[in-house]
Amino acid sequence: TQLLEQSPQFLSIQEGENLTVYCNSSSVFSSLQWYRQEPGEGPVLLVTVVTGGEVKKLKRLTFQFGDARKDSSLHITAAQPGDTGLYLCAGSTPGTYKYIFGTGTRLKVLA
Amino acid sequence: GAGVSQTPSNKVTEKGKYVELRCDPISGHTALYWYRQSLGQGPEFLIYFQGTGAADDSGLPNDRFFAVRPEGSVSTLKIQRTERGDSAVYLCASSSDPGQPQHFGDGTRLSIL
């Protein structure tokens, strides 16, 4: 069974701090996506990474795909209260379009 | 433009009853996915369709769960003989093609009493 473990599970920080969320697996993924989910809503896609070692930036968010395509990280610089939410990683298994979601990281940014 | 629409938004029913959950994908999207999300967890894959056919149904937990997409657009997830453990938010997503970005609906919150 493929699993995507995210750490930390919960994170509460002050506005302006930096943070990193990790997504790890023992399996190789053909692509990996990061989503943010607000209460009562569906996940919203932030980014997709497909190449080992790939780095993508989205304003204050930096996403990296591990060289072996088994892990990924999300770094947020100068966090703001609007960044509060549940962050999810999801990987697609090679040869399929079945997506496995991580366990999630619940982030709270305090003003 | 219209996003993915799921109805009902909330469903409360008694154990043993039959329920149907509906998903209207974005127009023209050929791929449609169903997930189940329990409180505090990430979404769990159930099934995905490419057109009218189920391309991968390996996530359906047992034979009480069934999904259809007869015309390649709207999909219905059907649960027979519901159990309390079926309580969760059921999410639907669609994409223009498999492997393209998924767009999620807001889900149906199912509560089995």
Side-chain angles (χ1 to χ4, degrees), chain A residues 11-99:
Chain A
L11 191 55
S12 181
I13 62 172
Q14 294 292 323
E15 182 177 4
E17 292 184 0
N18 301 333
L19 68 118
T20 302
V21 175
Y22 299 93
C23 174
N24 294 294
S25 176
S26 58
S27 302
V28 174
F29 292 98
S30 54
S31 69
L32 196 135
Q33 302 174 332
W34 284 92
Y35 293 82
R36 189 174 83 188
Q37 186 177 23
E38 307 272 4
E41 299 181 4
V44 175
L45 180 67
L46 298 173
V47 77
T48 300
V49 286
V50 296
T51 305
E54 183 176 2
V55 176
K56 281 192 173 180
K57 292 191 176 184
L58 182 65
K59 296 184 180 178
R60 294 175 294 101
L61 278 59
T62 302
F63 305 86
Q64 184 161 10
F65 202 10
D67 291 341
R69 292 185 291 134
K70 293 183 178 181
D71 56 86
S72 182
S73 64
L74 158 60
H75 182 79
I76 302 179
T77 303
Q80 299 177 359
D83 296 328
T84 293
L86 177 67
Y87 288 82
L88 295 160
C89 61
S92 64
T93 48
T96 80
Y97 296 110
K98 173 180 174 179
Y99 291 87

Side-chain angles (χ1 to χ4, degrees), chain A residues 37 42-43 45 97-99 101-102, chain B residues 33 37 42-43 58 98-99 102 105-106:
Chain A
Q37 186 177 23
L45 180 67
Y97 296 110
K98 173 180 174 179
Y99 291 87
F101 275 80
Chain B
Y33 300 79
Q37 187 173 27
S58 61
Q102 295 179 74
D106 289 338

Side-chain angles (χ1 to χ4, degrees), chain B:
Chain B
V4 177
S5 176
Q6 291 189 246
T7 54
S9 55
N10 285 282
K11 176 72 177 178
V12 181
T13 192
E14 294 179 342
K15 177 186 171 192
K17 298 291 188 182
Y18 168 83
V19 296
E20 289 190 352
L21 311 180
R22 177 187 168 105
C23 174
D24 279 271
I26 293 173
S27 178
H29 279 194
T30 65
L32 185 146
Y33 300 79
W34 283 101
Y35 296 88
R36 178 169 70 175
Q37 187 173 27
S38 299
L39 192 63
Q41 304 291 318
E44 172 192 7
F45 171 84
L46 295 177
I47 184 172
Y48 96 88
F49 290 88
Q50 170 59 18
T52 60
D56 189 330
D57 65 357
S58 61
L60 295 177
N62 52 59
D63 62 6
R64 294 187 297 106
F65 289 74
F66 190 70
V68 296
R69 195 185 186 201
E71 298 179 358
S73 178
V74 171
S75 177
T76 305
L77 178 65
K78 308 180 181 191
I79 310 174
Q80 298 178 322
R81 305 183 303 280
T82 52
E83 299 177 357
R84 292 195 178 90
D86 299 334
S87 297
V89 174
Y90 289 80
L91 293 166
C92 175
S94 70
S95 64
S96 55
D97 282 304
Q100 294 303 307
Q102 295 179 74
H103 300 263
F104 281 82
D106 289 338
T108 293
R109 182 175 299 278
L110 177 64
S111 299
I112 308 299
L113 303 179

